[in-house]
Amino acid sequence: MLIKTATFVKSSVNLSQCPSPQLPEYAFIGRSNVGKSSLINMLCNHSKLAKVSSTPGKTREINHFLINNNWYLVDLPGYGYARVSRSARQKWGDFIEEYLKGRENLQYLFVLIDSRLEPQPIDIEFVNHLGVLSIPFVIVFTKIDKQNTAQTQQNKELFEKALYKTWEELPSMFLTSAEKKTGKDDLLKFIGGSNQEYRIQKKTDLK
Ligand code: GTP
Ligand code: MG
């Protein structure tokens, strides 16, 4: 699939503000600074679509981008940002939980994991929580340009091992670099396939 057009639609601070759920949607989530906004820009070939910053906590709202007039990419705020207060963290949790539970057109959540790190408890807990909520998700390892392939592979394997403690089957996994544009075709192919399934399902529902 090719992205021909990508436009910012709106920023929302709760579910009711989000655009009407008529199109398939894919949201990017993960720890602050993991590279969510950068990956969205990389997929869209647009360096300034989503706001990127080296300071964690840049994205604060639910940002919808309309792609090819046909589906949405969503940039979410990061979790685990140490410098925010407990009450702010609680608010983040409630607001994201409301989105995850209530967003009926969410096809997959893309959970971004920093490929340089060994499995982090906060990421494993988050993924396990998605199981409780029955949210379909995939894992996207980011910033693979920052170290050699063997180190990336090792961290991926450790992450898989950690997931096998609670999961019988593992989700799809992607290795990416926004810097080098690695993983772009694989991610877009995955989304293209899911969009097709969405349309087939819609047609069946109408019958
Ligand atoms: P929040 O909105 O704060 O939660 O962060 P985010 O997850 O959206 O991260 P963002 O895309 O803003 O990127 C954080 C920092 O990592 C920026 O300085 C980016 O330039 C850098 N970065 C993101 N992706 C990559 C990558 O693939 N490779 C390298 N080398 N740097 C990256
Ligand atoms: Mg961001």
Side-chain angles (χ1 to χ4, degrees):
M1 186 189 32
L2 279 178
I3 291 191
K4 292 184 199 131
T5 58
T7 45
F8 170 70
V9 181
K10 69 186 297 197
S11 293
S12 312
V13 293
N14 57 46
L15 184 61
S16 62
Q17 286 179 359
C18 290
S20 95
Q22 312 298 348
L23 298 171
E25 177 159 317
Y26 304 88
F28 284 33
I29 204 163
R31 285 193 311 133
S32 239
N33 220 37
V34 71
K36 301 174 289 296
S37 303
S38 302
L39 198 61
I40 287 181
N41 289 341
M42 183 271 261
L43 291 178
C44 297
N45 264 333
H46 193 316
S47 64
K48 294 201 178 94
L49 192 64
K51 286 186 199 134
V52 168
S53 167
S54 56
T55 317
K58 181 69 182 170
T59 309
R60 297 287 176 101
E61 293 151 336
I62 302 174
N63 295 291
H64 274 84
F65 301 95
L66 178 63
I67 312 298
N68 295 347
N69 283 319
N70 206 12
W71 51 281
Y72 290 118
L73 267 180
V74 179
D75 193 13
L76 294 171
Y79 53 75
Y81 177 36
R83 272 206 260 157
V84 298
S85 65
R86 183 187 281 262
S87 64
R89 235 176 285 156
Q90 176 75 42
K91 221 168 106 191
W92 182 90
D94 293 348
F95 144 80
I96 296 301
E97 187 98 351
E98 183 199 25
Y99 169 82
L100 295 178
K101 280 186 182 161
R103 192 64 177 159
E104 63 199 72
N105 58 332
L106 179 66
Q107 301 305 293
Y108 283 95
L109 187 66
F110 285 64
V111 182
L112 273 60
I113 303 291
D114 191 328
S115 67
R116 294 170 299 176
L117 306 177
E118 291 191 355
Q120 303 288 298
I122 193 169
D123 290 327
I124 302 294
E125 277 164 28
F126 182 76
V127 167
N128 288 341
H129 185 56
L130 294 176
V132 175
L133 298 181
S134 299
I135 308 281
F137 67 94
V138 302
I139 299 288
V140 179
F141 292 96
T142 63
K143 307 190 184 183
I144 67 162
D145 59 286
K146 292 237 188 188
Q147 79 268 317
N148 65 41
T149 312
Q151 279 165 319
T152 300
Q153 207 52 40
Q154 191 183 19
N155 287 334
K156 178 174 178 263
E157 279 165 24
L158 288 172
F159 197 85
E160 288 171 350
K161 231 180 179 173
L163 286 191
Y164 270 131
K165 288 186 186 157
T166 42
W167 294 79
E168 270 179 24
E169 244 182 277
L170 295 186
S172 300
M173 297 199 179
F174 300 89
L175 297 176
T176 69
S177 159
E179 190 76 22
K180 301 266 185 236
K181 300 195 181 302
T182 318
K184 182 177 181 177
D185 293 348
D186 290 343
L187 283 175
L188 291 178
K189 197 171 158 190
F190 179 86
I191 293 173
S194 170
N195 282 343
Q196 255 174 351
E197 278 173 30
Y198 175 89
R199 312 261 173 232
I200 293 166
Q201 188 61 44
K202 276 267 149 176
K203 270 193 194 154
T204 320
D205 291 349
L206 288 173
K207 275 183 192 158

